[in-house]
Amino acid sequence: MTKGVIQGREKFLSSIANKLGRAKPERVEEPSWTYKPQWEVYKKATQDELLEVFLQSCKRQGTDVVMTSLDHLKVNLAEMIQSYGGGPIVASNDPRFESIGIRDFLSELDTYFWNLRLGDFNIEQAKQATIGISFSDQALAESGTTVFFHNKEKARSISLLPKVSIVLLNKSSIVPRLTQVTKTIGDRVKQGETIESYINMVSGPSNSADIEMNMVVGVHGPIKVGYLILEDQ
């Protein structure tokens, strides 16, 4: 991927420095904070304890959660799809579906897989789908949030446009909170890695109380969200 170019940055920063009456710094030093409470949250929690916190967070949001294993995944996934009324289904072109053995199973359910070569046709398929199925990259115990490192094969339309979003995630991908995810991203940048073009964090069904504090579900995305949590092998 070609890195972006920032136009006029030096001129813009120099103008601000002049107005503040000081020289433009050549580099920015990261502050050394005395206290870092963000790292203390669930610091000593085991993976089972993080899972319990995650489940409680999901319960508050109204997110459905099913624990499963590779042996029972197809059955549990089929039951969840049925509970939401069935397809049409759209899914990301994620190689992890193949690695856990459900790619063919989803194909048998007449699932449309995101196809980069077909351009806007993918968007139309996502609009018409009842259920979108995607794979989360990390999850936050504190807020019941799933994190998606999106790319062209794992478009956000899959988890946003259908009225139901089913998300698969590994139990081991659950971390305490946003602090750990942002550090992972920061470390990748420091190592010179080109990170994904956008990162989505989704916490349960879409809702908004912007208008007179009246909660409305499904304003900007799915009205139902279900997580299938895979016990690690």
Side-chain angles (χ1 to χ4, degrees):
M1 179 183 293
T2 304
K3 289 189 176 181
V5 177
I6 302 175
Q7 302 288 344
R9 177 172 60 179
E10 293 304 316
K11 181 180 179 182
F12 175 75
L13 294 177
S14 295
S15 174
I16 292 177
N18 288 334
K19 290 183 183 300
L20 293 174
R22 63 192 189 195
K24 184 175 76 64
E26 296 301 319
R27 56 180 298 179
V28 176
E29 298 291 342
E30 185 175 349
S32 178
W33 306 108
T34 303
Y35 300 104
K36 300 178 180 179
Q38 68 272 28
W39 290 103
E40 300 301 318
V41 180
Y42 307 125
K43 179 180 180 181
K44 298 180 180 178
T46 65
Q47 203 61 38
D48 285 337
E49 290 170 335
L50 289 177
L51 172 63
E52 185 57 34
V53 174
F54 183 80
L55 294 176
Q56 292 301 318
S57 299
C58 292
K59 185 177 181 181
R60 289 193 294 272
Q61 299 164 358
T63 302
D64 302 319
V65 181
V66 173
M67 296 296 301
T68 188
S69 63
L70 284 181
D71 290 339
H72 297 92
L73 177 57
K74 292 179 183 177
V75 172
N76 292 140
L77 178 56
E79 290 175 347
M80 183 172 279
I81 291 171
Q82 189 64 32
S83 71
Y84 291 136
I89 301 171
V90 62
S92 55
N93 188 25
D94 193 319
R96 287 174 290 186
F97 290 137
E98 182 76 34
S99 66
I100 61 175
I102 63 168
R103 172 90 185 197
D104 291 341
F105 172 72
L106 288 173
S107 296
E108 293 171 1
L109 299 177
D110 200 24
T111 298
Y112 175 81
F113 288 95
W114 199 265
N115 187 335
L116 183 60
R117 292 173 301 174
L118 300 182
D120 290 345
F121 180 73
N122 293 290
I123 301 292
E124 294 304 317
Q125 293 299 305
K127 287 180 180 177
Q128 295 171 20
T130 303
I131 298 175
I133 300 179
S134 47
F135 215 122
S136 168
D137 296 289
Q138 284 193 289
L140 315 182
E142 183 182 52
S143 54
T145 301
T146 45
V147 182
F148 299 92
F149 294 159
H150 286 296
N151 59 31
K152 294 179 180 178
E153 303 286 0
K154 299 186 293 181
R156 60 185 169 184
S157 298
I158 295 165
S159 59
L160 293 178
L161 292 182
K163 68 179 183 181
V164 177
S165 174
I166 294 177
V167 181
L168 280 67
L169 63 139
N170 290 315
K171 176 182 170 183
S172 61
S173 71
I174 301 174
V175 296
R177 64 199 308 269
L178 183 61
T179 305
Q180 285 73 24
V181 173
T182 53
K183 182 180 186 306
T184 299
I185 298 169
D187 289 345
R188 291 173 60 192
V189 172
K190 288 178 182 177
Q191 293 169 7
E193 183 178 342
T194 300
I195 63 172
E196 289 74 9
S197 54
Y198 57 96
I199 299 167
N200 271 2
M201 300 185 185
V202 180
S203 304
S206 167
N207 58 63
S208 174
D210 288 349
I211 302 176
E212 297 184 352
M213 300 297 289
N214 290 322
M215 181 66 75
V216 179
V217 178
V219 176
H220 308 296
I223 59 175
K224 292 285 185 181
V225 173
Y227 293 158
L228 277 168
I229 303 178
L230 277 161
E231 293 277 5
D232 298 286
Q233 301 301 300

